[in-house]
Every structure is written in C-alpha cells, then in structure tokens.
Amino acid sequence: MKDFIGIFLGCFIFCLLAILFLGDLLFTNIWAIIILASFMLAILVKLFINQYSRIDELERKIEQLLQDKQN
C-alpha cells in the first residue's frame, strides 16, 4: 500500500506540474489533448506488453526447470 501511495503522489505532482506549464496549450488546442492522451495510452500499452513478454519468458523457464528436475 505504501508503494501505491508513493506512486500516486508522484503521478499527482507530475500532473500538477504538467498543467502548470502546459495547461494553456492543452485547454486551447484539441490536438494537444489528443496527442497527450495518445502518448499516455501508448506508454501504458507498451508497459503491459513488456510485462506480458517477461511473464511468458519466466513461464517457459519454469517449465524447462520442472522438466529437467523430473528427468
């Protein structure tokens, strides 16, 4: 839970700073909002894809270790 609070506060501060410096651009230009949202979604999707591939790799390693142990 402490990790989540730390991450949340970091994201909150980042968002406040982004609004402070980019707020005028974002609220007057629809393209800036679309680009920012696309960028955030792309980061999120990339993180999930990386995690999935790492989990897949670990599953293969565990299966290999179990097969080696049985032999």
Side-chain angles (χ1 to χ4, degrees):
M1 186 67 170
K2 290 180 184 179
D3 293 339
F4 174 76
I5 293 172
I7 292 170
F8 174 74
L9 288 176
C11 290
F12 184 73
I13 291 170
F14 176 77
C15 288
L16 284 177
L17 290 174
I19 291 296
L20 178 67
F21 292 113
L22 301 172
D24 186 44
L25 173 66
L26 289 176
F27 293 122
T28 58
N29 189 352
I30 189 69
W31 287 110
I33 294 171
I34 293 171
I35 290 171
L36 182 63
S38 299
F39 182 71
M40 298 300 244
L41 284 173
I43 290 173
L44 187 63
V45 168
K46 179 66 177 165
L47 288 173
F48 280 126
I49 289 172
N50 284 346
Q51 286 299 101
Y52 179 75
S53 65
R54 290 178 73 186
I55 289 171
D56 246 6
E57 183 179 326
L58 286 172
E59 285 177 347
R60 278 188 253 120
K61 286 181 181 180
I62 290 173
E63 286 177 7
Q64 183 65 34
L65 286 172
L66 287 174
Q67 287 176 358
D68 289 346
K69 187 177 180 180
Q70 288 176 351
N71 294 333

